[in-house]
Amino acid sequence: MADPRPLAPSSCDCFVSLPPASAAREVIFGKNSDRPKDEVQEVVYLPAATHAKGAKVQCTYIEVDQAERTHAVILSRPAWLWGAEMGANEHGVCIGNEGVWTKEPVGEEEALLGMDLVRLGLERGSNAQEALQVITTLLERHGQGGPCKEEPTPFVYHNTFLLADRTEAWVLETAGRFWAAQRIREGARNISNQLSIDTDITAEHPDLRAHAQRQGWWNGEGEFSFTKVFSLVHQPVRMEAAKARYCAGQQLLRQHSGQITSGTIMAILRDKASGICVESEGFATTGSMVSVLPQDAHLPCVHFFTATPDPSRSVFKPFVFVPNITPFHQVQAPRFGDKDPIKERPRFQSRVDRRHELYRRRQLALEALDSHQAERQKIQECLQGLEQQALESVKNLLAGSLTLESQELADLFFDCVNAELQFYK
């Protein structure tokens, strides 16, 4: 069995705000994806599609039955895998995942990654509850497992998920093939690399409690707490950091309750003092996402992605689902076909350069400016201005005081990436 204890800290943080915690009639979703420091995260758009009955789809490691129809999705994902760390679909569903270790053992056997389940849920779920049912059905059928980073030394974890749509959110926490879910209808909620569902369980694996009894983890009497029953008795040191981030996230959400906007969630994702914005020797925040899901179904959902590491030095760029999306190859990694280290056996015996254009040009610019702090600060201020302009435009769009043509919306993410690239010349 793989050692579930990585040498470097690993972490992610997901947030959701619903009225009355939100300042407006909006559900706001956000996530920091904290991954190996040099891992490249790309942003990809996949249009809706129909598939032949009985078709299969190749996920990161295994094949599963394909759905006859898949929704259009936008994904932020480690460039080496099939799934996604976070994303949204054309129906206003958002999902993010987090690694977790419980009493259920993790193993090296290849199955579905939690990141595969994020994409599968988005491609097949027209609302958050439906996406949750997709994920739990596939989890029960195929299990979860396999290396979760692009290295020959196995690094394996199970997953928790935060799902949201225009009306509600769900926390889904797993241990092997077992799971529990909690519906969130109001207020704010966050998750951070640990179990957090206590006795308020809305839905669960049909054999969850019987399994816990068979293992001797629960005596069958009194209230059933998923967190208490399935959490490790002796938590690894790394989980104390997760606990501290979870509490810090709760505190920040409470501090802004009733006034939470997309800007609020972006500021939380940039908070380094709490550890929510990660910058360590081994792990870092490699991509970030914030989504605004208006409860008025006539208004568009808007999804912001950085496509670059460290949100405190990145630009959140908006995307809206409309027909004829302009391709944005500037944030998509190169492909290596059959020569990709993930496809060769044994896997991950070599490394390839997966940096996309925005990642590479930003990296070169920041390195060149390391000894020119005044110039670096000037560029950072210009980038902040670019983001603020996008936020104001989105605010006016949702308020009805700004109208954009369909083609302008189709170009929106592409144009924002291009505008950012100009600063790195």
Side-chain angles (χ1 to χ4, degrees):
M1 185 178 75
D3 186 351
R5 295 169 296 180
L7 296 176
S10 58
S11 55
C12 283
D13 295 276
C14 286
F15 300 87
V16 69
S17 174
L18 300 86
S22 301
R25 293 183 58 245
E26 299 169 340
V27 175
I28 304 170
F29 172 93
K31 180 185 174 180
N32 268 354
S33 171
D34 303 330
R35 302 280 305 165
K37 191 170 186 176
D38 295 326
E39 185 179 78
V40 176
Q41 197 142 150
E42 64 177 354
V43 175
V44 297
Y45 167 75
L46 302 170
T50 56
H51 308 275
K53 191 172 184 179
K56 300 284 187 180
V57 58
Q58 177 65 49
C59 301
T60 301
Y61 297 122
I62 68 168
E63 279 189 345
V64 300
D65 292 335
Q66 179 60 286
E68 291 188 27
R69 176 175 171 77
T70 50
H71 306 309
V73 297
I74 184 166
L75 309 171
S76 186
R77 68 183 186 186
W80 60 271
L81 53 75
W82 180 86
E85 274 280 295
M86 52 202 172
N89 72 19
E90 61 185 305
H91 299 291
V93 180
C94 299
I95 309 177
N97 78 307
E98 314 237 344
V100 70
W101 295 267
T102 71
K103 291 176 183 174
E104 284 293 314
V106 295
E108 296 175 30
E109 181 180 351
E110 293 181 349
L112 289 172
L113 294 179
M115 293 171 280
D116 293 336
L117 290 167
V118 168
R119 175 171 170 177
L120 290 162
L122 290 170
E123 287 187 333
R124 304 178 184 199
S126 59
N127 56 53
Q129 185 172 10
E130 193 173 289
L132 182 143
Q133 291 167 347
V134 168
I135 291 173
T136 55
T137 299
L138 289 166
L139 177 67
E140 291 175 19
R141 184 177 303 155
H142 300 285
Q144 56 183 322
C148 297
K149 63 180 180 178
E150 193 181 10
E151 293 182 5
T153 303
F155 174 67
V156 186
Y157 51 77
H158 292 161
N159 293 268
T160 65
F161 303 86
L162 184 61
L163 308 90
D165 60 26
R166 291 178 185 266
T167 61
E168 64 181 14
W170 287 80
V171 174
L172 169 63
E173 300 185 338
T174 74
R177 296 180 189 235
F178 297 93
W179 58 273
Q182 180 185 75
R183 176 186 267 135
I184 313 297
R185 286 189 162 138
E186 62 179 19
R189 182 74 152 84
N190 62 313
I191 59 174
S192 298
N193 295 109
Q194 59 182 330
L195 300 182
S196 62
I197 297 176
D198 192 21
T199 59
D200 183 12
I201 299 173
T202 310
E204 64 188 67
H205 186 289
D207 197 38
L208 180 70
R209 302 185 191 214
H211 174 73
Q213 282 188 273
R214 288 193 296 270
Q215 298 298 315
W217 301 336
W218 184 54
N219 63 11
E221 299 176 2
E223 288 191 304
F224 179 87
S225 165
F226 184 72
T227 295
K228 291 177 182 176
V229 171
F230 279 87
S231 291
L232 291 164
V233 176
H234 301 291
Q235 295 280 4
V237 174
R238 72 182 184 279
M239 298 307 290
E240 292 305 312
K243 187 183 297 182
R245 287 194 339 273
Y246 176 69
C247 292
Q250 279 187 319
Q251 176 77 21
L252 288 166
L253 289 172
R254 284 197 203 103
Q255 181 181 328
H256 298 283
S257 184
Q259 301 176 345
I260 295 174
T261 65
S262 56
T264 308
I265 299 298
M266 289 176 189
I268 290 174
L269 296 181
R270 288 170 163 147
D271 193 297
K272 292 196 173 183
S274 64
I276 290 169
C277 181
V278 176
E279 190 173 23
S280 70
E281 184 177 339
F283 271 66
T285 299
T286 57
S288 302
M289 168 186 174
V290 172
S291 291
V292 181
L293 315 175
Q295 294 193 318
D296 182 347
H298 295 97
L299 296 173
C301 296
V302 184
H303 312 282
F304 296 84
F305 295 89
T306 59
T308 53
D310 188 353
S312 72
R313 297 192 296 175
S314 292
V315 178
F316 282 93
K317 298 166 282 291
F319 173 92
V320 177
F321 283 94
V322 290
N324 305 313
I325 292 292
T326 303
F328 31 87
H329 301 299
Q330 318 99 309
V331 292
Q332 291 169 14
R335 300 293 181 251
F336 299 93
D338 293 338
K339 298 296 185 182
D340 196 304
I342 191 176
K343 294 185 178 179
E344 297 180 329
R345 297 298 183 102
R347 302 191 198 274
F348 308 128
Q349 300 304 299
S350 61
R351 297 297 297 265
V352 292
D353 186 355
R354 300 190 188 277
R355 292 177 300 168
H356 51 69
E357 183 183 3
L358 179 62
Y359 187 106
R360 182 167 34 82
R361 283 174 52 178
R362 175 181 178 272
Q363 184 181 52
L364 290 171
L366 293 178
E367 288 172 355
L369 292 169
D370 265 346
S371 56
H372 301 82
Q373 288 302 314
E375 185 67 20
R376 185 168 180 162
Q377 181 61 31
K378 181 180 177 182
I379 289 178
Q380 187 62 35
E381 288 172 0
C382 290
L383 292 172
Q384 290 170 352
L386 180 67
E387 179 183 283
Q388 193 58 42
Q389 184 180 352
L391 283 169
E392 282 298 315
S393 295
V394 167
K395 181 180 177 181
N396 293 334
L397 177 69
L398 297 180
S401 57
L402 173 67
T403 301
L404 294 177
E405 298 296 329
S406 179
Q407 192 55 50
E408 291 179 286
L409 291 172
D411 295 339
L412 184 59
F413 192 78
F414 172 90
D415 287 344
C416 288
V417 173
N418 254 5
E420 182 179 354
L421 280 168
Q422 301 310 308
F423 290 99
Y424 302 137
K425 284 187 174 180

